[in-house]
Amino acid sequence: MNNLIDETHDPARRSWLASANIEDGDFPIQNLPLCVFEVDGQDARGGIGIGDQVLDLKALALSGLLHGEALDACRAAAQTTLNALMASPPSASFALRKSVSALLSTDSAVEQQVRNCLVAMDAVHFQLPAKIGGYTDFLCSKHHTERNLRLRGSHDGVPPAFFSLPVAYNGRVSSIRPSGQNPTRPWGQFRDANGQVIYAPSRALDFELEMGAFVRHGNQLGEPIRISDADSHIFGLALFNDWSAKDIQWWEQILGPFLGKSFFTNLSPWIVTMEALAPFRVAHSGPDKDDPPPPPHLVNAEDMAHGMFDIDMTASIRTEDMVRSGSPRKLLTATNLRNLHWTFAQMLAHHTSNGCNLETGDFFGSGTVSGSEISSAACMTELTSAGKQAIQVSETEERTWLQDGDEITFHAKARNKGFIPIGFGECRGIVMPAIRY
Ligand code: CA
């Protein structure tokens, strides 16, 4: 497990780049998240976020400033996806982080040469950071599960299986898009207000505030990854929006979610690495007092002690009216990753526990990160009691479900006393009107 704190996390370390040192910014020198970007029509390449700039890893690889394993890692990350870096031994991304941190720090003797490798963040187009072969979405919040069951009329409580395994379904990779690209309201089958099943544009469009993990190296088909090894297979975390058409999902979900989810998923371009997250590891609270314990093959002392992360997460809305009137975004929810019942290591161990093989670049999500309080409910379904209770989003507007033109933006920040907080960038998308037949 990577809980090594070193000089790259030193809260006293500052960058010669002023924008990296602003208080509570997302991208201080202690973060160094990875992305893939395009600029000026050139080939996509890997980058590292610092302040309001992106460090171009292709330019850095050619600069002569890196050597040895850090140079190899930089070359691997300079490609059109980060898969080659993810497939490298963990020591590679570690070496790259150490070298880049030194180059960007106030102690650097080569500031001007590094400046030549920077590109303004607002001038680049972000791509997906990896070629994702498989995407799985879990359901790890007990609070989300409880509220959803209640809203759908079930009084049986959370099913026993929820406590014995992290529940999941296989998602759709082809419709994952980077932040800033927009979902189109999907058509689908659902029950209308009279109970008739119709095929129409969804009337219950929702967001789901989630955190996902990228797989570093996978496993051979047939060979489960043990819980004690699971954490070492995770490369880093990224914020994402599992856009969902709840009416379509509720009608179709006998086997599992399908068209209610597969129309669009927004992924933040930034992967915050496990190395960067080391100071923000916390103990996993595990099951509540009266909940059944997980089975032994999903329990590990190290994971219980350090397998969770203290990460604040928010979702906000901006409607078209709010854009016109210049109003700021309205906060919809504020939650924390610690609300999850399962750790990412437990999700990964369970995923492979039947021998299913994960591959480098695979992505798996936490499920909606709802907490026990309604202020930390992380989707519209919970916030509006499945569309029955409108919430006020501005002085003049309320919402039950999302309307066309609504922009949803997620942010997240890892915090721990004595360390510089690090952010996840934004995950943003605007609901586009349904296509017209
Ligand atoms: Ca979800």
Side-chain angles (χ1 to χ4, degrees):
M1 181 164 288
N2 186 349
N3 45 11
L4 186 72
I5 310 282
D6 60 28
E7 75 275 12
T8 66
H9 306 102
D10 181 354
R13 184 169 276 201
R14 290 286 180 275
S15 174
W16 42 257
L17 181 69
S19 62
N21 304 326
I22 58 166
E23 188 158 340
D24 220 28
D26 268 1
F27 305 120
I29 193 169
Q30 288 81 6
N31 192 351
L32 308 178
L34 288 148
C35 69
V36 168
F37 71 99
E38 240 179 48
V39 68
D40 295 336
Q42 298 174 29
D43 288 346
R45 75 274 311 271
I48 286 179
I50 178 76
D52 59 3
Q53 305 285 307
V54 182
L55 180 63
D56 179 338
L57 294 178
K58 193 166 181 177
L60 185 65
L62 296 169
S63 68
L65 294 169
L66 295 180
H67 308 282
E69 196 173 23
L71 177 58
D72 292 343
C74 189
R75 284 181 177 142
Q79 302 177 26
T80 54
T81 71
L82 296 174
N83 292 58
L85 178 66
M86 292 177 173
S88 306
S91 58
S93 51
F94 186 63
L96 181 62
R97 175 181 170 82
K98 279 204 162 190
S99 294
V100 167
S101 176
L103 290 173
L104 289 167
S105 84
T106 46
D107 296 337
S108 171
V110 288
E111 174 186 332
Q112 196 48 52
Q113 286 154 277
V114 182
R115 271 191 192 275
N116 292 338
C117 302
L118 294 180
V119 190
M121 213 177 266
D122 57 15
V124 309
H125 297 287
F126 290 109
Q127 311 286 313
L128 290 179
K131 169 120 185 73
I132 302 172
Y135 158 46
T136 307
D137 199 18
F138 283 84
L139 174 76
C140 290
S141 159
K142 186 175 86 166
H143 312 291
H144 173 71
T145 308
E146 254 170 2
R147 279 199 204 96
N148 270 284
L149 287 166
R150 227 175 22 242
L151 290 168
R152 297 188 63 194
S154 165
H155 301 287
D156 297 339
V158 175
F162 177 90
F163 300 103
S164 117
L165 52 88
V167 177
Y169 68 95
N170 285 305
R172 182 75 197 167
V173 173
S174 65
S175 51
I176 301 177
R177 291 290 184 277
S179 171
Q181 294 191 26
N182 301 319
T184 296
R185 181 179 297 275
W187 284 68
Q189 292 185 38
F190 56 88
R191 277 191 197 280
D192 68 9
N194 302 318
Q196 292 296 310
V197 177
I198 58 171
Y199 173 66
S202 169
R203 295 168 190 174
L205 194 61
D206 203 352
F207 68 86
E208 289 189 340
L209 174 56
E210 305 200 24
M211 187 67 79
F214 278 95
V215 173
R216 195 191 277 279
H217 51 292
N219 55 313
Q220 293 295 317
L221 181 61
E223 293 179 12
I225 295 172
R226 290 170 198 275
I227 181 69
S228 53
D229 293 334
D231 198 85
S232 69
H233 288 259
I234 299 173
F235 181 78
L237 304 185
L239 197 55
F240 81 105
N241 185 347
D242 176 27
W243 294 96
S244 301
K246 294 291 167 68
D247 43 8
I248 298 172
Q249 185 189 341
W250 290 338
W251 176 240
E252 74 183 353
Q253 194 168 312
I254 297 168
L255 184 58
F258 189 52
L259 302 184
K261 300 279 194 185
S262 61
F263 60 95
F264 203 92
T265 305
N266 262 136
L267 177 61
S268 159
W270 299 106
I271 304 180
V272 178
T273 64
M274 295 306 260
E275 290 89 8
L277 287 167
F280 308 101
R281 287 182 175 277
V282 287
H284 178 37
S285 55
D288 291 341
K289 189 165 56 66
D290 299 325
D291 293 340
H297 74 283
L298 295 180
V299 181
N300 167 259
E302 182 71 7
D303 185 48
M304 289 303 289
H306 305 289
M308 191 49 80
F309 300 90
D310 194 344
I311 301 175
D312 290 329
M313 300 169 66
T314 62
S316 339
I317 189 168
R318 188 160 54 182
T319 67
E320 286 183 326
D321 275 3
M322 292 161 84
V323 172
R324 272 191 290 273
S325 64
S327 314
R329 294 181 181 119
K330 158 89 173 169
L331 184 73
L332 290 174
T333 188
T335 184
N336 189 287
L337 195 70
R338 298 178 76 169
N339 285 316
L340 298 183
H341 185 84
W342 298 96
T343 66
F344 285 105
Q346 287 177 313
M347 293 177 227
L348 187 137
H350 173 66
H351 203 313
T352 66
S353 62
N354 66 345
C356 170
N357 54 323
L358 289 174
E359 296 177 326
T360 297
D362 282 358
F363 181 71
F364 60 98
S366 61
T368 310
V369 186
S370 298
S372 58
E373 304 297 323
I374 195 67
S375 58
S376 58
C379 63
M380 292 297 278
T381 306
E382 293 172 68
L383 291 168
T384 68
S385 295
K388 290 184 199 70
Q389 284 176 318
I391 52 169
Q392 207 72 28
V393 295
S394 70
E395 278 179 21
T396 53
E397 287 182 288
E398 48 182 38
R399 286 287 182 276
T400 47
W401 301 106
L402 298 178
Q403 294 187 8
D404 293 347
D406 287 354
E407 178 188 67
I408 295 293
T409 306
F410 295 169
H411 287 102
K413 194 148 276 176
R415 297 180 195 277
N416 186 8
K417 201 161 177 269
F419 291 93
I420 302 288
I422 61 173
F424 284 72
E426 68 175 17
C427 180
R428 184 172 50 84
I430 301 172
V431 178
M432 294 286 124
I435 61 157
R436 289 212 260 173
Y437 270 105

